Amino acid sequence: MNMERSPGDAQEEWLLDEPTVRPYVMTRGRTDARGRFDLVTIAVTIRSTTGAEVGLDPEHLTIARLCRRPLSVAEIAAHMDLPAGIVRVLLGDLLEKGYVAVQQPQPETDVLDERTFRAVLDGLRAL
Amino acid sequence: MASGHSDPPKLPKAIKLLIAGGFGVGKTTMVGAVSEIRPLRTEETLTDRSVGVDDLTGVETKNTTTVAMDFGRITIGDEFMLYLFGTPGQERFWFVWDELARGALGAVVLADTRRLADCFPSVDYFERRGTPFVVAVNCFDGTPQYELDEVKLALNLGSAVPVLLCDARRRESGKEVLITLIKHAYSRRPAAAKEASVR
Ligand SMILES: Nc1nc2c(ncn2[C@@H]2O[C@H](COP(=O)(O)OP(=O)(O)O)[C@@H](O)[C@H]2O)c(=O)[nH]1
Ligand SMILES: [Mg+2]
């Protein structure tokens, strides 16, 4: 058999890598320790806010309002003109308090099962 | 996941694609051509702790960098959201790429034949990482037309890596590039690799 290193080998090696946790996000002394959100983690508001909640800042309320429809971290950051890192921390607060649900992106290992492949291909063709 | 909670609403899952290449090669243009939303811009402020760490002394220097990324979105039914990120292709942004490449399904490397070397770092990066990629040669007006084989040779690409011409301004062309990438990524998925390596 072929004993040379192929791109496939490199990929499997990469898949075994532990995700690197870079505690780069600081918001008022809080680090993003509540689990990482990818730029394309999708959030949606599941409990509506009145604005009178204790412990929620105006930025939290803005996110809760934006996420009445599902939005990615990157989109929230762009709409609010905030760095994505800050959005991650704020989203962590909202998640902890039960205001939002999040959907992590497909893990790399099975991102392209056949069903996903067909759906994406059909979606692109229909563009 | 914890089982004590009520089921969260069914949310679309995100799929990430990257568009890489040198400055001015047409990344943002391509994102805009295929995206259903006006391209948005997000910034990552990263403290790169892997730079300047001295293991012996434990002294750590933090480099904080802000990198802007343009991105767009394509909704695929109610199940998937395709996000396209136009990423700066400079080597000093590699740690941003790491962030973006994690979980990315694949990448488009945009090339301009007048400045082909600009896409070398991107090609190197995705090869090393094992991220499936295609090379799309953006045909600027008046660009000398090279044969795709010449580009392939110049980039020293593996034979399986698709190389195609595109016009980053046209949606149809961007669509074709993305479809080529999706097909390529599917042929490169771990399951396919295993099937191919069964003795
Ligand atoms: N003639 C022509 N111009 C293009 C094409 N693609 C991009 N451009 C132009 O090239 C410039 C740089 O494109 P941009 O998308 O901002 O490059 P980026 O730095 O890779 O994001 C812009 O002025 C575009 O309008 C193309 O296919 N043909
Ligand atoms: Mg750009």
Side-chain angles (χ1 to χ4, degrees), chain A residues 11 14 24 36 38 40 42 72 74-75 77-78 84 88 103 106 108 112 114-115 117 119 124-125 127, chain B residues 12-14 16 41 43-45 47 71 73 76 79-80 83 99 102-103 129-130 175 186 188-189:
Chain A
Q11 181 169 42
W14 147 242
Y24 56 80
R36 288 171 43 85
D38 195 277
V40 295
I42 289 173
S72 64
E75 284 167 291
R88 288 187 170 101
Q103 172 70 60
Q106 296 248 53
E108 194 161 346
L112 257 191
E114 188 176 348
R115 211 176 54 80
F117 170 68
L124 284 176
R125 284 182 175 139
L127 254 190
Chain B
K13 267 193 184 167
K16 217 174 6 178
R41 169 162 287 207
E43 288 183 355
E44 281 279 46
T45 309
T47 303
F71 67 97
R73 185 186 72 197
I76 308 276
E79 219 182 336
F80 300 103
Y83 285 95
E99 193 77 21
R102 180 178 309 127
R129 182 123 233 179
K175 252 174 74 170
Y186 188 62
R188 286 274 324 274
R189 73 201 190 281

Side-chain angles (χ1 to χ4, degrees), chain A residues 29 39 46 49 64 74 85 94:
Chain A
L39 272 175
I46 52 172
T49 50
L94 289 168

Side-chain angles (χ1 to χ4, degrees), chain B residues 20-190:
Chain B
F23 180 76
V25 74
K27 299 183 294 295
T28 305
T29 304
M30 179 175 272
V31 169
V34 293
S35 174
E36 69 197 16
I37 54 170
R38 185 177 52 83
L40 295 171
R41 169 162 287 207
T42 185
E43 288 183 355
E44 281 279 46
T45 309
L46 299 180
T47 303
D48 185 10
R49 290 160 73 104
S50 66
V51 172
V53 176
D54 183 335
D55 285 337
L56 294 175
T57 62
V59 173
E60 196 175 76
T61 349
K62 292 180 191 170
N63 292 353
T64 305
T65 312
T66 303
V67 181
M69 291 159 292
D70 293 324
F71 67 97
R73 185 186 72 197
I74 299 169
T75 301
I76 308 276
D78 52 11
E79 219 182 336
F80 300 103
M81 301 258 241
L82 207 59
Y83 285 95
L84 299 158
F85 284 87
T87 6
Q90 286 85 350
E91 295 185 26
R92 62 197 167 93
F93 296 141
W94 270 346
F95 57 95
V96 182
W97 289 26
D98 288 344
E99 193 77 21
L100 281 170
R102 180 178 309 127
L105 186 149
V108 174
V109 175
L110 270 180
D112 176 349
T113 49
R114 297 167 301 181
R115 294 168 295 166
L116 203 55
D118 285 5
C119 74
F120 288 178
S122 310
V123 168
D124 285 347
Y125 179 83
F126 295 121
E127 265 180 357
R128 204 150 21 84
R129 182 123 233 179
T131 302
F133 68 97
V134 302
V135 174
V137 177
N138 195 15
C139 302
F140 287 87
D141 314 316
T143 310
Q145 296 286 313
Y146 289 87
E147 294 296 326
L148 288 179
D149 282 348
E150 293 178 273
V151 173
K152 202 160 189 161
L153 209 60
L155 293 178
N156 194 20
L157 294 175
S159 57
V161 177
V163 181
L164 67 169
L165 298 173
C166 77
D167 183 333
R169 298 164 300 180
R170 287 183 45 238
R171 169 173 278 203
E172 278 306 309
S173 180
K175 252 174 74 170
E176 190 200 349
V177 171
L178 296 181
I179 287 170
T180 305
L181 173 61
I182 296 293
K183 286 180 172 172
H184 177 60
Y186 188 62
S187 75
R188 286 274 324 274
R189 73 201 190 281

Side-chain angles (χ1 to χ4, degrees), chain A residues 47-102:
Chain A
R47 178 147 63 101
S48 51
T49 50
T50 62
E53 284 81 7
V54 177
L56 292 188
D57 294 333
E59 291 78 15
H60 289 119
L61 299 174
T62 304
I63 294 179
R65 206 171 52 240
L66 282 172
C67 291
R68 282 182 200 147
R69 64 202 161 104
L71 274 189
S72 64
V73 169
E75 284 167 291
I76 298 167
H79 288 312
M80 294 180 72
D81 203 13
L82 284 177
I86 308 269
V87 170
R88 288 187 170 101
V89 174
L90 298 171
L91 213 48
D93 296 337
L94 289 168
L95 183 66
E96 193 172 70
K97 293 177 200 285
Y99 287 102
V100 298
V102 298

